Amino acid sequence: MLENGFHDVPAGKVTVVVTFLEMTAKPAMKAGALPDGVAFRRVTPDLDWYRDIFTRVGGMDWLWFGRLMLEDSALEAILADPGVEIYTLTRNGVDLALMELDFREDGACELEYFGLASELIGTGAGRYLINQAIERAWTKPISRFHLRTCTIDSPQALGFYQHVGFKPVKQAIEIADDPRLLGVLPETAGPHVPMLRP
């Protein structure tokens, strides 16, 4: 059991508090329209497309790194799995969002990654995209739709997910190697997260 008080974080690590959220029935939803000139589409991504959108949506601003740490074969296996569905929002031929639904667990769907590039934040696109996630998740025979967010993600993320019907069910502390020190992301990524050099 973790005792109360402060606990040192080793140099070279990133530490976050992760909140796990879920919904066990489809909620009532507020309408959300796509901004003018923006299209929603499903993607069958290759590695280059996926790593690019992952980095632009979450890597640089919010220090997303989980999928960037995977070997090509491991990431390809996820992207090719029929239980994984990936969607984006496109404007003027540029993809600006990532929504990843993972149905690989029987009876459940995980919103594995969800985010917008900065160009779409504040346009209403997030409401539209989360509505699509909820609708698509609950068209399958599931009893649980769940996700994780953490303290280095957008400060609006936790409130947004609760507002659309997800409920917090547990928290955990995650400690990981700092991807900036490994060269997975540039040192300018996640400027709100201190870098503790060894």
Side-chain angles (χ1 to χ4, degrees), residues 103 105-108 137-144:
F103 292 97
E105 177 188 347
D106 286 344
W138 289 104
T139 61
K140 303 287 176 75
I142 66 169
S143 57
R144 178 174 175 254

Side-chain angles (χ1 to χ4, degrees), residues 76-198:
E76 283 175 334
I78 293 168
L79 300 181
D81 194 298
V84 176
E85 299 180 5
I86 297 171
Y87 300 86
T88 192
L89 297 175
T90 305
R91 185 173 66 190
N92 298 326
V94 178
D95 295 322
L96 297 170
L98 177 61
M99 180 179 95
E100 185 175 332
L101 299 174
D102 187 339
F103 292 97
R104 291 178 293 173
E105 177 188 347
D106 286 344
C109 176
E110 182 171 7
L111 183 57
E112 186 71 38
Y113 288 99
F114 180 91
L116 306 174
S118 58
E119 298 94 317
L120 288 184
I121 293 173
T123 66
R127 165 61 73 173
Y128 177 87
L129 196 60
I130 198 67
N131 283 355
Q132 289 295 320
I134 294 167
E135 288 284 358
R136 289 168 191 277
W138 289 104
T139 61
K140 303 287 176 75
I142 66 169
S143 57
R144 178 174 175 254
F145 186 27
H146 62 107
L147 62 89
R148 289 165 289 154
T149 190
C150 71
T151 49
I152 63 172
D153 206 352
S154 166
Q156 287 118 2
L158 181 57
F160 175 74
Y161 292 132
Q162 290 181 91
H163 183 70
V164 299
F166 288 95
K167 307 288 184 210
V169 292
K170 78 171 187 175
Q171 287 188 311
I173 294 172
E174 179 182 13
I175 298 175
D177 293 330
D178 191 320
R180 297 165 297 187
L181 295 174
L182 297 175
V184 173
L185 285 167
E187 291 193 3
T188 55
H192 64 299
V193 181
M195 203 162 25
L196 305 174
R197 294 182 185 277

